[in-house]
mmCIF file of all heavy atoms in Angstrom:
data_model
loop_
_atom_site.group_PDB
_atom_site.id
_atom_site.type_symbol
_atom_site.label_atom_id
_atom_site.label_comp_id
_atom_site.label_asym_id
_atom_site.label_seq_id
_atom_site.Cartn_x
_atom_site.Cartn_y
_atom_site.Cartn_z
ATOM 1 N N SER A 1 90.500 52.974 224.462
ATOM 2 C CA SER A 1 89.409 53.524 225.307
ATOM 3 C C SER A 1 89.846 53.676 226.777
ATOM 4 O O SER A 1 89.301 54.493 227.545
ATOM 5 C CB SER A 1 88.130 52.748 225.184
ATOM 6 O OG SER A 1 88.303 51.405 225.658
ATOM 7 N N ALA A 2 90.767 52.790 227.275
ATOM 8 C CA ALA A 2 91.176 52.797 228.543
ATOM 9 C C ALA A 2 91.681 54.196 229.011
ATOM 10 O O ALA A 2 91.498 54.641 230.142
ATOM 11 C CB ALA A 2 92.399 51.844 228.780
ATOM 12 N N CYS A 3 92.327 54.943 228.097
ATOM 13 C CA CYS A 3 92.806 56.282 228.400
ATOM 14 C C CYS A 3 91.980 57.294 227.639
ATOM 15 O O CYS A 3 91.763 58.462 228.151
ATOM 16 C CB CYS A 3 94.289 56.447 227.949
ATOM 17 S SG CYS A 3 95.413 55.412 228.994
ATOM 18 N N HIS A 4 91.591 57.107 226.404
ATOM 19 C CA HIS A 4 90.965 58.149 225.579
ATOM 20 C C HIS A 4 89.519 58.337 225.895
ATOM 21 O O HIS A 4 88.927 59.375 225.487
ATOM 22 C CB HIS A 4 91.196 57.892 224.070
ATOM 23 C CG HIS A 4 92.595 58.117 223.683
ATOM 24 N ND1 HIS A 4 93.118 59.348 223.256
ATOM 25 C CD2 HIS A 4 93.637 57.250 223.530
ATOM 26 C CE1 HIS A 4 94.389 59.166 222.945
ATOM 27 N NE2 HIS A 4 94.735 57.983 223.063
ATOM 28 N N GLN A 5 88.897 57.345 226.570
ATOM 29 C CA GLN A 5 87.486 57.575 226.873
ATOM 30 C C GLN A 5 87.296 58.656 227.972
ATOM 31 O O GLN A 5 86.361 59.450 227.875
ATOM 32 C CB GLN A 5 86.959 56.202 227.432
ATOM 33 C CG GLN A 5 85.429 56.314 227.799
ATOM 34 C CD GLN A 5 84.556 56.468 226.596
ATOM 35 O OE1 GLN A 5 84.866 56.042 225.482
ATOM 36 N NE2 GLN A 5 83.450 57.215 226.726
ATOM 37 N N GLY A 6 88.251 58.636 228.950
ATOM 38 C CA GLY A 6 88.069 59.653 230.008
ATOM 39 C C GLY A 6 89.202 60.650 230.051
ATOM 40 O O GLY A 6 89.251 61.486 231.039
ATOM 41 N N GLY A 7 90.040 60.696 229.091
ATOM 42 C CA GLY A 7 91.132 61.660 229.099
ATOM 43 C C GLY A 7 92.180 61.425 230.098
ATOM 44 O O GLY A 7 92.807 62.406 230.630
ATOM 45 N N VAL A 8 92.483 60.125 230.304
ATOM 46 C CA VAL A 8 93.532 59.793 231.288
ATOM 47 C C VAL A 8 94.888 60.356 230.936
ATOM 48 O O VAL A 8 95.372 60.179 229.785
ATOM 49 C CB VAL A 8 93.593 58.237 231.451
ATOM 50 C CG1 VAL A 8 94.759 57.780 232.270
ATOM 51 C CG2 VAL A 8 92.312 57.705 232.094
ATOM 52 N N ALA A 9 95.588 60.919 231.968
ATOM 53 C CA ALA A 9 96.973 61.486 231.813
ATOM 54 C C ALA A 9 97.072 62.396 230.584
ATOM 55 O O ALA A 9 98.077 62.406 229.898
ATOM 56 C CB ALA A 9 97.959 60.333 231.617
ATOM 57 N N GLY A 10 95.975 63.209 230.323
ATOM 58 C CA GLY A 10 96.044 64.126 229.267
ATOM 59 C C GLY A 10 95.760 63.651 227.800
ATOM 60 O O GLY A 10 95.846 64.271 226.913
ATOM 61 N N ALA A 11 95.306 62.312 227.791
ATOM 62 C CA ALA A 11 94.979 61.732 226.480
ATOM 63 C C ALA A 11 93.696 62.519 225.819
ATOM 64 O O ALA A 11 92.828 62.661 226.611
ATOM 65 C CB ALA A 11 94.623 60.277 226.576
ATOM 66 N N PRO A 12 93.801 62.861 224.516
ATOM 67 C CA PRO A 12 92.639 63.607 223.969
ATOM 68 C C PRO A 12 91.438 62.642 223.903
ATOM 69 O O PRO A 12 91.543 61.562 223.371
ATOM 70 C CB PRO A 12 93.154 63.906 222.587
ATOM 71 C CG PRO A 12 94.279 62.984 222.284
ATOM 72 C CD PRO A 12 94.912 62.718 223.606
ATOM 73 N N MET A 13 90.365 63.089 224.456
ATOM 74 C CA MET A 13 89.155 62.293 224.609
ATOM 75 C C MET A 13 88.476 62.041 223.234
ATOM 76 O O MET A 13 88.597 62.889 222.311
ATOM 77 C CB MET A 13 88.195 62.875 225.522
ATOM 78 C CG MET A 13 88.626 62.876 226.986
ATOM 79 S SD MET A 13 87.527 63.687 228.198
ATOM 80 C CE MET A 13 86.078 62.639 227.914
ATOM 81 N N LEU A 14 87.898 60.864 223.173
ATOM 82 C CA LEU A 14 87.168 60.566 221.909
ATOM 83 C C LEU A 14 86.013 61.656 221.703
ATOM 84 O O LEU A 14 85.278 61.964 222.616
ATOM 85 C CB LEU A 14 86.465 59.225 222.115
ATOM 86 C CG LEU A 14 85.766 58.709 220.805
ATOM 87 C CD1 LEU A 14 86.836 58.173 219.822
ATOM 88 C CD2 LEU A 14 84.803 57.447 221.195
ATOM 89 N N GLY A 15 86.072 62.197 220.517
ATOM 90 C CA GLY A 15 85.072 63.201 220.231
ATOM 91 C C GLY A 15 85.410 64.638 220.726
ATOM 92 O O GLY A 15 84.644 65.593 220.490
ATOM 93 N N GLY A 16 86.585 64.750 221.420
ATOM 94 C CA GLY A 16 86.973 66.055 221.973
ATOM 95 C C GLY A 16 87.568 66.927 220.853
ATOM 96 O O GLY A 16 88.808 66.911 220.673
ATOM 97 N N ARG A 17 86.719 67.679 220.309
ATOM 98 C CA ARG A 17 87.221 68.540 219.111
ATOM 99 C C ARG A 17 88.312 69.517 219.451
ATOM 100 O O ARG A 17 89.246 69.657 218.722
ATOM 101 C CB ARG A 17 85.983 69.347 218.502
ATOM 102 C CG ARG A 17 85.032 68.431 217.755
ATOM 103 C CD ARG A 17 83.777 69.101 217.232
ATOM 104 N NE ARG A 17 82.942 68.279 216.447
ATOM 105 C CZ ARG A 17 83.016 68.140 215.127
ATOM 106 N NH1 ARG A 17 83.882 68.806 214.379
ATOM 107 N NH2 ARG A 17 82.203 67.226 214.515
ATOM 108 N N GLN A 18 88.164 70.130 220.654
ATOM 109 C CA GLN A 18 89.240 71.083 221.010
ATOM 110 C C GLN A 18 90.558 70.508 221.232
ATOM 111 O O GLN A 18 91.641 70.975 220.825
ATOM 112 C CB GLN A 18 88.767 71.859 222.271
ATOM 113 C CG GLN A 18 89.737 73.010 222.727
ATOM 114 C CD GLN A 18 89.263 73.833 223.864
ATOM 115 O OE1 GLN A 18 88.111 73.613 224.364
ATOM 116 N NE2 GLN A 18 90.043 74.718 224.368
ATOM 117 N N ALA A 19 90.642 69.356 221.864
ATOM 118 C CA ALA A 19 91.833 68.599 222.197
ATOM 119 C C ALA A 19 92.433 68.041 220.848
ATOM 120 O O ALA A 19 93.642 67.983 220.723
ATOM 121 C CB ALA A 19 91.574 67.472 223.164
ATOM 122 N N TRP A 20 91.536 67.588 219.949
ATOM 123 C CA TRP A 20 92.096 66.945 218.736
ATOM 124 C C TRP A 20 92.382 67.944 217.693
ATOM 125 O O TRP A 20 93.212 67.579 216.755
ATOM 126 C CB TRP A 20 91.050 66.001 218.166
ATOM 127 C CG TRP A 20 91.049 64.591 218.781
ATOM 128 C CD1 TRP A 20 90.381 64.140 219.906
ATOM 129 C CD2 TRP A 20 91.990 63.477 218.404
ATOM 130 N NE1 TRP A 20 90.768 62.885 220.209
ATOM 131 C CE2 TRP A 20 91.731 62.464 219.300
ATOM 132 C CE3 TRP A 20 92.950 63.406 217.490
ATOM 133 C CZ2 TRP A 20 92.423 61.292 219.188
ATOM 134 C CZ3 TRP A 20 93.689 62.178 217.322
ATOM 135 C CH2 TRP A 20 93.394 61.186 218.179
ATOM 136 N N ALA A 21 91.968 69.181 217.720
ATOM 137 C CA ALA A 21 92.135 70.136 216.706
ATOM 138 C C ALA A 21 93.649 70.363 216.355
ATOM 139 O O ALA A 21 94.007 70.254 215.108
ATOM 140 C CB ALA A 21 91.548 71.535 217.071
ATOM 141 N N PRO A 22 94.557 70.586 217.273
ATOM 142 C CA PRO A 22 95.963 70.777 216.946
ATOM 143 C C PRO A 22 96.595 69.535 216.386
ATOM 144 O O PRO A 22 97.542 69.502 215.527
ATOM 145 C CB PRO A 22 96.607 71.244 218.255
ATOM 146 C CG PRO A 22 95.721 70.714 219.327
ATOM 147 C CD PRO A 22 94.366 70.760 218.802
ATOM 148 N N LEU A 23 96.084 68.337 216.844
ATOM 149 C CA LEU A 23 96.647 67.094 216.286
ATOM 150 C C LEU A 23 96.193 66.817 214.862
ATOM 151 O O LEU A 23 96.990 66.439 214.041
ATOM 152 C CB LEU A 23 96.159 65.894 217.180
ATOM 153 C CG LEU A 23 96.536 65.950 218.667
ATOM 154 C CD1 LEU A 23 95.967 64.810 219.436
ATOM 155 C CD2 LEU A 23 98.038 65.851 218.788
ATOM 156 N N ILE A 24 94.941 67.133 214.639
ATOM 157 C CA ILE A 24 94.440 67.013 213.224
ATOM 158 C C ILE A 24 95.149 67.986 212.267
ATOM 159 O O ILE A 24 95.537 67.669 211.208
ATOM 160 C CB ILE A 24 92.914 67.347 213.144
ATOM 161 C CG1 ILE A 24 92.130 66.230 213.938
ATOM 162 C CG2 ILE A 24 92.420 67.507 211.767
ATOM 163 C CD1 ILE A 24 90.679 66.555 214.125
ATOM 164 N N GLU A 25 95.566 69.107 212.807
ATOM 165 C CA GLU A 25 96.354 70.063 212.031
ATOM 166 C C GLU A 25 97.679 69.549 211.758
ATOM 167 O O GLU A 25 98.303 69.793 210.657
ATOM 168 C CB GLU A 25 96.436 71.424 212.808
ATOM 169 C CG GLU A 25 97.272 72.405 212.141
ATOM 170 C CD GLU A 25 96.490 73.615 211.698
ATOM 171 O OE1 GLU A 25 95.305 73.744 211.985
ATOM 172 O OE2 GLU A 25 97.062 74.387 211.016
ATOM 173 N N GLU A 26 98.335 68.813 212.688
ATOM 174 C CA GLU A 26 99.657 68.210 212.544
ATOM 175 C C GLU A 26 99.631 67.271 211.363
ATOM 176 O O GLU A 26 100.677 67.120 210.608
ATOM 177 C CB GLU A 26 100.022 67.518 213.799
ATOM 178 C CG GLU A 26 101.054 68.288 214.628
ATOM 179 C CD GLU A 26 101.533 67.354 215.770
ATOM 180 O OE1 GLU A 26 100.806 66.984 216.641
ATOM 181 O OE2 GLU A 26 102.825 66.977 215.707
ATOM 182 N N GLY A 27 98.589 66.510 211.179
ATOM 183 C CA GLY A 27 98.484 65.584 210.018
ATOM 184 C C GLY A 27 98.497 64.145 210.422
ATOM 185 O O GLY A 27 99.008 63.786 211.557
ATOM 186 N N GLN A 28 97.821 63.362 209.628
ATOM 187 C CA GLN A 28 97.493 61.967 210.024
ATOM 188 C C GLN A 28 98.855 61.161 210.196
ATOM 189 O O GLN A 28 98.975 60.397 211.096
ATOM 190 C CB GLN A 28 96.674 61.274 208.918
ATOM 191 C CG GLN A 28 96.250 59.819 209.193
ATOM 192 C CD GLN A 28 95.212 59.311 208.239
ATOM 193 O OE1 GLN A 28 94.715 60.062 207.448
ATOM 194 N NE2 GLN A 28 94.838 58.052 208.455
ATOM 195 N N ALA A 29 99.731 61.356 209.191
ATOM 196 C CA ALA A 29 100.998 60.550 209.215
ATOM 197 C C ALA A 29 101.742 60.916 210.448
ATOM 198 O O ALA A 29 102.413 59.976 211.155
ATOM 199 C CB ALA A 29 101.806 60.821 207.979
ATOM 200 N N VAL A 30 101.950 62.220 210.806
ATOM 201 C CA VAL A 30 102.752 62.590 211.982
ATOM 202 C C VAL A 30 102.158 62.096 213.207
ATOM 203 O O VAL A 30 102.906 61.474 214.057
ATOM 204 C CB VAL A 30 102.968 64.130 211.963
ATOM 205 C CG1 VAL A 30 103.591 64.652 213.239
ATOM 206 C CG2 VAL A 30 103.658 64.624 210.749
#
């Protein structure tokens, strides 16, 4: 949460669907 709560240094924010979409597409293991 130190970084992902507020998007520190570009970290995808918790619940941020747009930011997480390409990561989810990459796959859980990757």
